[in-house]
Amino acid sequence: MRRTRLIGTLLTLTAIVLAMFAWSCQSAQQGTSAAPASAAKVDPVVRGRYLVSIMSCNDCHTPGTFYGAPDTTRRLSGSDLGWLGPWGVVHARNLTPDSTTGIGSWTKDQIVTALKTGNTPSGVQLAPIMPWVNYAGVLDDGDAMAIASYLKSLPPVTHKILDRQPPGAKPVGGIIMFPPPPAWDAPKGAPKDAPKDAPAAK
Ligand code: HEC
């Protein structure tokens, strides 16, 4: 009887020790994964390349991506596919550091501002087809700066993007066209950068 009680006590003690061991392993693991990304000292260019990839910047800015074959030798050098909508016609621009046809003259801060507000150094308000609206108020400063660092690290590619065309102008070249929005998709009130003659919400 005493022996049975002793074995019972020993089993209980073993269970307690094992539970404490499992708990300490779990806490150690949580400690590692909860460490802020910045503490991991990730190279900003590596982080920026990752973000640019998962945020689909290549879709629009790298030729061939929409057709299943991104041309990595001309990565992020812009596209000649025009986006026609209430904003007129715009083209995904050359994001390489080429000083005349790309954004080589922009500072990293100016790139961050464009991503977070849609404002460019020359005072242009980017059309919403460039998804800055999704980044505004959400994109972390460190991540925005990492994207800027990566863009600055790209090999410059000379590729002059077609000028923006105002609403109503005859489109030049290949165009992806946005019809006036169906009722469900119509903005409830004009977007703040919409031109005066943009189709009204129904
Ligand atoms: C759905 C297509 C699309 C995606 C995705 C996209 N862009 Fe753009 N981007 C555009 C278009 C179109 C313009 C030009 C808009 C205009 O002229 O109003 C533009 C303009 C820009 C500009 C301004 C450049 C200049 O010279 O004025 C920057 C910077 C930029 N994009 C960076 C990015 C980055 C970084 C990403 C990913 C995080 C990204 N874009 C994702 C379509 C896109």
Side-chain angles (χ1 to χ4, degrees):
M1 188 66 187
R2 261 171 92 188
R3 236 178 100 185
T4 320
R5 207 180 299 154
L6 184 68
I7 291 172
T9 315
L10 278 176
L11 282 175
T12 313
L13 277 174
T14 314
I16 292 173
V17 168
L18 282 175
M20 284 175 70
F21 178 70
W23 180 80
S24 70
C25 288
Q26 205 189 15
S27 325
Q29 244 175 26
Q30 274 171 358
T32 323
S33 63
S38 55
K41 298 231 168 31
V42 177
D43 177 349
V45 173
V46 173
R47 173 81 182 155
R49 181 168 53 212
Y50 165 75
L51 290 166
V52 161
S53 178
I54 62 164
M55 289 165 77
S56 305
C57 317
N58 290 297
D59 273 6
C60 302
H61 288 275
T62 298
T65 310
F66 277 136
Y67 300 94
D71 183 345
T72 52
T73 65
R74 294 179 291 149
R75 196 187 287 284
L76 296 166
S77 62
S79 165
D80 286 352
L81 270 179
W83 297 87
L84 186 152
W87 49 81
V89 182
V90 295
H91 294 82
R93 310 201 67 82
N94 182 347
L95 304 181
T96 74
D98 185 67
S99 54
T100 46
T101 62
I103 54 172
S105 64
W106 292 27
T107 64
K108 286 189 196 175
D109 282 337
Q110 286 171 328
I111 297 176
V112 169
T113 303
L115 290 177
K116 298 183 76 168
T117 68
N119 289 307
T120 73
S122 54
V124 167
Q125 177 70 58
L126 297 173
I129 191 63
M130 157 65 204
W132 65 267
V133 177
N134 291 323
Y135 313 146
V138 177
L139 184 60
D140 172 85
D141 283 343
D143 281 345
M145 198 43 96
I147 292 175
S149 301
Y150 169 59
L151 295 181
K152 284 284 179 190
S153 79
L154 290 168
V157 176
T158 304
H159 175 223
K160 166 97 177 74
I161 301 300
L162 293 168
D163 291 333
R164 300 165 109 239
Q165 293 173 268
K170 192 167 178 292
V172 184
I175 295 291
I176 300 163
M177 200 179 87
F178 276 66
W184 180 260
D185 299 73
K188 307 282 179 236
K192 66 176 164 28
D193 56 333
K196 300 246 171 338
D197 52 349
K202 291 200 178 88

